[in-house]
């Protein structure tokens, strides 16, 4: 039995769902994804309809621009631990930024 068969079967559907969550599937969104990845609009429509998934380089570009795609890939790789770490790091960065923006307005003393 091929250990990659389960991932291959689910890949296109999982990526399509993630793309729709982050970008939607309107024609303008298809064009936007196509510009980001360098793929043509028909290829992007195939991704959104789960006919097939993006190639490695297209997937990397999508992961740069889509938290949903990144989360989907980590879930497919059974690496939810990395996803939790990334989410925690992002929350800490936002908290630090909020604290730094408030500090100048606090009274000294």
């Amino acid at each position: 039995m091929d250990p990659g068969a389960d991932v291959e079967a689910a890949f296109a559907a999982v990526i399509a769902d993630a793309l729709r969550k982050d970008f939607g599937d309107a024609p303008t969104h298809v064009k936007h994804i196509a510009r980001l990845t360098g793929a043509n609009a028909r290829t992007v429509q195939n991704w959104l309809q789960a006919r097939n998934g993006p190639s490695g380089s297209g997937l990397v570009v999508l992961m740069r621009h889509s938290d949903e795609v990144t989360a989907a890939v980590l879930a497919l790789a059974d690496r939810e631990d990395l996803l939790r770490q990334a989410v925690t790091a992002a929350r800490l960065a936002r908290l630090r930024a909020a604290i730094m923006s408030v500090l100048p307005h606090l009274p000294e003393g």
Side-chain angles (χ1 to χ4, degrees), residues 17-103:
D17 186 48
L19 286 171
R20 285 191 300 270
K21 284 179 183 174
D22 255 359
F23 297 103
D25 58 2
T28 56
H29 297 139
V30 170
K31 290 177 185 178
H32 177 68
I33 296 168
R35 280 191 302 275
L36 287 175
T37 60
N40 67 48
R42 187 71 192 139
T43 298
V44 173
Q45 287 175 334
N46 285 336
W47 297 344
L48 289 166
Q49 294 168 359
R51 289 191 181 120
N52 52 46
S55 66
S57 60
L59 183 60
V60 169
V61 172
L62 290 171
M63 290 174 73
R64 285 182 191 156
H65 298 280
S66 169
D67 291 342
E68 289 291 334
V69 172
T70 300
V73 170
L74 290 173
L76 284 170
D78 198 23
R79 296 304 307 262
E80 284 87 1
D81 56 322
L82 292 177
L83 179 59
R84 282 190 300 276
Q85 289 174 9
V87 167
T88 299
R91 287 179 181 157
L92 284 173
R94 285 193 301 273
L95 179 59
R96 280 188 195 102
I99 290 169
M100 295 305 288
S101 70
V102 170
L103 282 178

